[in-house]
Amino acid sequence: NAGVTQTPKFRVLKTGQSMTLLCAQDMNHEYMYWYRQDPGMGLRLIHYSVGEGTTAKGEVPDGYNVSRLKKQNFLLGLESAAPSQTSVYFCASSYTESGGNIQYFGAGTRLSVL
Amino acid sequence: ILNVEQSPQSLHVQEGDSTNFTCSFPSSNFYALHWYRWETAKSPEALFVMTLNGDEKKKGRISATLNTKEGYSYLYIKGSQPEDSATYLCAFWHRPKTSYDKVIFGPGTSLSVIP
């Protein structure tokens, strides 16, 4: 059982380039989340999805877009990367958004924007 | 703006010492408080889900308490071992009256246990 899988694990971009991060989960979870993690700031929610075909903004959505075309996949896109988007990105999933349901995290994607 | 704080930021203890750290969160619209353990080069893994004021949870040598009225939770580790070295995150879930549940993570406490 793979759980939550993120690809790629590492990426280096030049300013202005675009890329898509893929998150896949095999637990049939309804909810999926994208976070970024920066030193001293904890995990900050970028976007999340409450089910196939639906997405919502989190705490820091600017500069990112997401799509959830299939229940098991949640894509995070950077249309024009900026150095401020250098970070470690984590995807998570849970059965519901309920506070009683824990989130399962992927291994992270380390992105550097030069 | 809701703020979740954790203290201390980092901690170094000797093997065998007991230790504790704090997560502080807003006391209004509380829904749940999660603790996660995050080892270097791995993903965060859930330790506890706490939902009721006065909750106490225990898993082996690790335990946690919750005070929703004053807005804090303590995580205790008894007899620390080198394998306890990790960052411990708390995640505060709140239930606003007019929107979906929201989760806010604290910045974490980094624990190093010296053999």
Side-chain angles (χ1 to χ4, degrees), chain A residues 35 90 97-99 102-103 106-107, chain B residues 31 34 36 38 43 49 93 101:
Chain A
Y35 294 91
F90 286 91
E97 197 195 22
S98 164
I102 63 172
Q103 296 183 20
Chain B
Y31 187 32
H34 295 183
Y36 288 84
W38 192 358
S43 314
V49 174
W93 282 85
D101 297 346

Side-chain angles (χ1 to χ4, degrees), chain A residues 31 33 35 37 40-43 45 48 50 57 59 90 94 96-108, chain B residues 9 31-34 36 38 41-46 48-49 51 89 93 95 100-108:
Chain A
Y31 281 72
Y33 314 78
Y35 294 91
Q37 196 261 332
M41 299 190 74
L43 292 165
L45 184 64
Y48 64 102
V50 303
K57 293 181 181 180
E59 186 183 354
F90 286 91
S94 64
T96 70
E97 197 195 22
S98 164
N101 286 278
I102 63 172
Q103 296 183 20
Y104 294 83
F105 286 86
Chain B
Q9 183 177 0
Y31 187 32
L33 192 287
H34 295 183
Y36 288 84
W38 192 358
K42 294 187 178 180
S43 314
E45 292 185 351
F48 302 116
V49 174
T51 56
L89 296 175
W93 282 85
R95 174 162 279 183
Y100 293 116
D101 297 346
K102 292 283 188 279
V103 62
I104 303 170
F105 279 83

Side-chain angles (χ1 to χ4, degrees), chain B residues 39-103:
Chain B
E39 291 182 72
T40 302
K42 294 187 178 180
S43 314
E45 292 185 351
L47 284 172
F48 302 116
V49 174
M50 311 181 80
T51 56
L52 298 176
N53 184 45
D55 255 358
E56 292 188 26
K57 297 283 177 108
K58 187 174 181 181
K59 184 183 289 188
R61 295 179 290 99
I62 305 177
S63 60
T65 61
L66 178 68
N67 183 322
T68 61
K69 294 187 188 307
E70 296 182 40
Y72 64 83
S73 175
Y74 293 140
L75 188 77
Y76 300 92
I77 302 179
K78 184 178 177 181
S80 303
Q81 299 296 310
E83 58 264 31
D84 295 328
S85 297
T87 295
Y88 292 83
L89 296 175
C90 66
F92 164 66
W93 282 85
H94 70 109
R95 174 162 279 183
K97 291 180 173 56
T98 57
S99 66
Y100 293 116
D101 297 346
K102 292 283 188 279
V103 62

Side-chain angles (χ1 to χ4, degrees), chain A residues 18-89:
Chain A
S18 63
M19 78 162 293
T20 301
L21 281 66
L22 171 64
C23 177
Q25 53 95 1
D26 60 3
M27 296 174 282
N28 202 35
H29 285 169
E30 288 295 330
Y31 281 72
M32 296 186 74
Y33 314 78
W34 275 107
Y35 294 91
R36 60 178 289 171
Q37 196 261 332
D38 301 294
M41 299 190 74
L43 292 165
R44 292 185 293 166
L45 184 64
I46 304 171
H47 286 280
Y48 64 102
S49 169
V50 303
E52 183 177 321
T54 65
T55 62
K57 293 181 181 180
E59 186 183 354
V60 288
D62 294 341
Y64 305 95
N65 56 76
V66 288
S67 64
R68 184 105 180 263
L69 299 179
K70 293 182 179 180
K71 185 177 183 179
Q72 63 267 34
N73 295 335
F74 193 30
L75 279 63
L76 178 72
L78 286 73
E79 289 186 348
S80 179
S84 60
Q85 293 178 304
T86 293
S87 188
V88 182
Y89 292 85

